[in-house]
């Protein structure tokens, strides 16, 4: 079973929450972040992407960037934009997008649970991205962005959380990026916190990383380094835990993560596609409505591709729509073997809409676009339980958890 604990959050003063809260550091490049930071002196991007406060030619991975992040965190606290709780608390964090809500419990999760595989991953990480966050956590001595975890629904946990939200006033409520409503409650009653801790300990055997693999790995590696530095530190030392928001799986929405590719379209291209797919020309952009169907835009036309039954696999990874597209179309017809490194493929999140796919082709940047049926949360869990990993760019979660609403102080400096 998994262990969760409350923590003394560093968080915005109530009136500054909407000004401080920012999109996650990894969905913005430095240029985009700099534009926001120039307009918002209180944006958390000054901490999460501190290169925006240095010369434009500065590398985002230079040591002074991490030093600046630590300085900015201290400045935000000194100015009273951020405050730190006197006591350990849990929080509820609700996100509402297009009338649909999901409510998560903000906690500290255990590094030990991750090492013992009670917190399961579904993708590989890249070393350079890990190193970036390791250096950031090390410099700030804090987890500055939450990790997005999910678990199989537990009626007792859901009931307690819903009851608390219904009976208590939120500390934050505002609308931000992409018209998403963000609402936060503090669970400031010891009995309620103890009950939640007990329910997770008794009923939740596994947590699953939905989003934030690099943040998780960096938190773990910083913790292991801290353990070496402080060998006599107690098991409850803050660096043995990382900041997370836990959502029941039934509340989550995975969006489509679509593909655009470069390459010569041969005259017999459609005939070759038809060897593995049933090909149907359609009059409007095709957004798949069920698994094992794929939309394809090529030569100014949209097509519906349906994977032929004899090529569908029951393997947790090989049977995914993104894997079938890869094996039966992208590799044989475009020569794209490794989508992690091949520059002939790019990815477009479903939140950008179908028009973004046809535009990428019509503008001449790409030869073909493919719209995907979203990977489901059950498929993600099945892959994680099997010890496998999803192909890159298989999932796109919306809405995004904002950064800056909660910071976990490691208390080791």
């Amino acid at each position: 079973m998994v262990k969760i604990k409350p923590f003394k959050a560093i968080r915005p003063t109530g009136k500054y929450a909407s000004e401080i809260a920012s999109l996650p550091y990894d969905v913005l490049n430095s240029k985009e972040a700099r534009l926001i930071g120039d307009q918002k002196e209180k944006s958390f991007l000054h901490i999460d992407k501190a290169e925006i406060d240095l010369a434009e030619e500065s590398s985002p991975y230079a040591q002074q960037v991490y030093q600046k992040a630590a300085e900015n965190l201290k400045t935000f606290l000194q100015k009273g934009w951020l405050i730190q709780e006197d006591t350990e608390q849990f929080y509820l964090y609700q996100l509402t997008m297009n009338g649909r809500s999901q409510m998560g419990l903000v906690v500290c999760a255990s590094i030990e649970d991750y090492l013992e595989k009670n917190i399961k991953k579904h993708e590989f990480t890249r070393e350079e991205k890990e190193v970036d966050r390791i250096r950031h956590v090390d410099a700030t001595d804090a987890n500055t962005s939450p990790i997005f975890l999910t678990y199989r629904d537990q009626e007792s946990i859901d009931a307690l959380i819903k009851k608390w939200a219904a009976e208590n006033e939120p500390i934050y409520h505002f609308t931000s990026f992409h018209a998403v409503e963000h609402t936060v409650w503090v669970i400031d009653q010891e009995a309620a916190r103890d009950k939640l801790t007990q329910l997770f300990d008794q009923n939740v055997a596994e947590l699953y990383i939905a989003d934030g693999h690099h943040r998780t790995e960096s938190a773990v590696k910083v913790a292991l380094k801290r353990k070496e530095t402080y060998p006599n530190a107690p098991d409850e030392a803050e660096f043995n835990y990382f900041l997370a928001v836990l959502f029941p799986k039934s509340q989550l929405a995975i969006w489509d993560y679509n593909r655009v590719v470069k390459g010569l379209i041969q005259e017999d291209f459609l005939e070759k596609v038809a060897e593995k797919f049933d090909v149907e020309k359609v009059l409007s952009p095709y957004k798949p409505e069920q698994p094992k169907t794929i939309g394809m835009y090529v030569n100014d036309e949209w097509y519906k591709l349906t994977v032929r039954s004899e090529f569908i696999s029951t393997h947790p990874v090989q049977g995914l729509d993104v894997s079938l597209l890869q094996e039966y179309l992208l590799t044989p017809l475009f020569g794209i073997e490794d989508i992690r490194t091949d520059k002939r493929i790019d990815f477009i999140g479903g939140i950008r809409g179908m028009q973004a796919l046809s535009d990428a082709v019509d503008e001449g940047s790409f030869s073909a676009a493919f719209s995907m049926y979203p990977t489901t949360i059950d498929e993600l869990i099945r892959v994680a339980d099997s010890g496998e990993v999803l192909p890159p760019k298989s999932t796109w979660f919306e809405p995004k958890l904002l950064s800056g609403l909660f910071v976990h102080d490691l208390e080791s400096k």
Side-chain angles (χ1 to χ4, degrees):
M1 300 300 175
V2 298
K3 181 177 183 180
I4 61 171
K5 70 179 288 291
F7 65 108
K8 296 179 181 179
I10 296 172
R11 61 179 183 84
T13 305
K15 63 181 179 179
Y16 296 137
S18 62
E19 295 180 72
I20 290 173
S22 74
L23 287 170
Y25 75 93
D26 52 356
V27 302
L28 297 168
N29 60 37
S30 295
K31 183 178 179 181
E32 292 167 332
R34 192 179 294 272
L35 287 172
I36 295 172
D38 286 346
Q39 298 171 10
K40 293 185 171 185
E41 65 172 345
K42 298 182 183 70
S43 171
F44 198 73
L45 291 170
H46 293 284
I47 295 167
D48 247 5
K49 291 185 75 69
E51 70 268 19
I52 68 176
D53 292 331
L54 301 174
E56 288 193 32
E57 61 270 17
S58 299
S59 166
Y61 308 115
Q63 182 56 36
Q64 60 262 39
V65 172
Y66 307 106
Q67 294 170 348
K68 188 64 175 175
E71 291 172 10
N72 286 347
L73 178 56
K74 290 179 181 178
T75 298
F76 275 43
L77 283 162
Q78 289 167 354
K79 291 187 174 183
W81 300 346
L82 293 175
I83 57 173
Q84 185 164 21
E85 299 278 16
D86 295 325
T87 57
E88 295 183 338
Q89 312 281 16
F90 285 143
Y91 302 85
L92 300 180
Y93 181 11
Q94 178 176 276
L95 301 93
T96 302
M97 184 179 192
N98 299 330
R100 183 185 170 280
S101 295
Q102 60 189 58
M103 184 179 291
L105 180 65
V106 186
V107 306
C108 276
S110 168
I111 297 294
E112 197 63 32
D113 275 333
Y114 181 77
L115 294 173
E116 293 180 358
K117 296 183 170 51
N118 296 327
I119 298 175
K120 299 183 179 183
K121 62 183 181 180
H122 67 261
E123 70 177 38
F124 291 126
T125 54
R126 293 169 58 182
E127 184 180 7
E128 66 272 19
K129 290 189 174 183
E130 269 189 45
V131 170
D132 167 53
R133 284 302 103 177
I134 288 172
R135 296 175 73 187
H136 193 276
V137 173
D138 216 7
T140 59
D141 200 40
N143 305 133
T144 57
S145 293
I147 293 156
F148 185 169
L149 302 179
T150 188
Y151 59 94
R152 292 182 176 89
D153 292 48
Q154 294 290 329
E155 186 176 344
S156 56
I157 294 174
D158 293 348
L160 198 161
I161 285 174
K162 290 176 182 177
K163 185 174 187 294
W164 185 272
E167 296 178 353
N168 294 273
E169 291 295 318
I171 57 172
Y172 308 138
H173 179 75
F174 61 92
T175 300
S176 190
F177 306 93
H178 306 302
V180 176
E181 290 182 46
H182 301 267
T183 311
V184 173
W185 295 261
V186 58
I187 302 180
D188 55 4
Q189 184 186 89
E190 185 177 4
R193 294 194 299 269
D194 289 347
K195 184 63 175 177
L196 283 166
T197 302
Q198 179 186 39
L199 288 172
F200 272 88
D201 181 57
Q202 293 177 345
N203 300 316
V204 179
E206 305 98 0
L207 297 172
Y208 298 86
I209 301 173
D211 197 12
H213 285 77
H214 290 94
R215 276 165 271 167
T216 307
E217 287 286 347
S218 64
V220 170
K221 288 179 178 173
V222 169
L224 294 176
K225 187 164 69 170
R226 293 286 198 274
K227 281 177 177 287
E228 292 180 1
T229 304
Y230 307 106
N232 297 320
D235 291 342
E236 294 301 307
E238 290 299 322
F239 58 72
N240 287 322
Y241 295 85
F242 60 86
L243 178 63
V245 187
L246 283 49
F247 293 90
K249 74 180 184 71
S250 66
Q251 295 185 18
L252 300 185
I254 300 180
W255 290 44
D256 43 311
Y257 213 162
N258 304 308
R259 279 90 167 108
V260 286
V261 298
K262 300 176 182 178
L264 183 64
I265 304 297
Q266 303 283 353
E267 288 188 9
D268 61 349
F269 176 76
L270 290 178
E271 295 175 15
K272 290 183 176 179
V273 172
E275 293 175 5
K276 300 293 192 300
F277 302 84
D278 292 329
V279 180
E280 176 186 351
K281 187 175 178 180
V282 293
L283 298 179
S284 58
Y286 181 69
K287 185 178 178 67
E289 298 175 343
Q290 60 185 16
K292 308 302 177 279
T293 59
I294 297 166
M296 180 176 72
Y297 182 71
V298 64
N299 292 334
D300 299 320
E301 303 284 0
W302 275 99
Y303 298 86
K304 174 184 176 181
L305 309 182
T306 304
V307 185
R308 291 187 175 176
S309 58
E310 61 265 35
F311 300 114
I312 296 175
S313 170
T314 58
H315 187 275
V317 176
Q318 295 170 9
L320 296 171
D321 287 20
V322 290
S323 298
L324 295 168
L325 175 69
Q326 179 70 36
E327 181 176 358
Y328 295 126
L329 203 157
L330 299 185
T331 296
L333 300 188
F334 289 95
I336 296 172
E337 300 277 355
D338 186 352
I339 65 174
R340 290 178 180 277
T341 58
D342 201 309
K343 301 300 184 184
R344 294 170 296 172
I345 186 168
D346 204 354
F347 308 88
I348 296 177
I351 196 169
R352 293 179 56 190
M354 297 294 290
Q355 190 66 41
L357 298 179
S358 55
D359 285 349
V361 176
D362 293 342
E363 291 166 2
S365 301
F366 296 91
S367 307
F370 299 91
S371 58
M372 310 300 300
Y373 187 80
T375 301
T376 68
I377 192 68
D378 286 327
E379 287 175 328
L380 182 154
I381 287 176
R382 184 177 174 222
V383 169
D385 282 343
S386 71
E388 301 271 359
V389 294
L390 289 170
K393 310 297 184 182
S394 295
T395 58
W396 180 282
F397 284 92
E398 286 288 349
K400 300 293 185 188
L401 307 183
L402 295 186
S403 294
L405 295 177
F406 316 97
V407 174
H408 172 226
D409 184 359
L410 300 188
E411 299 181 3
S412 56
K413 287 189 177 180

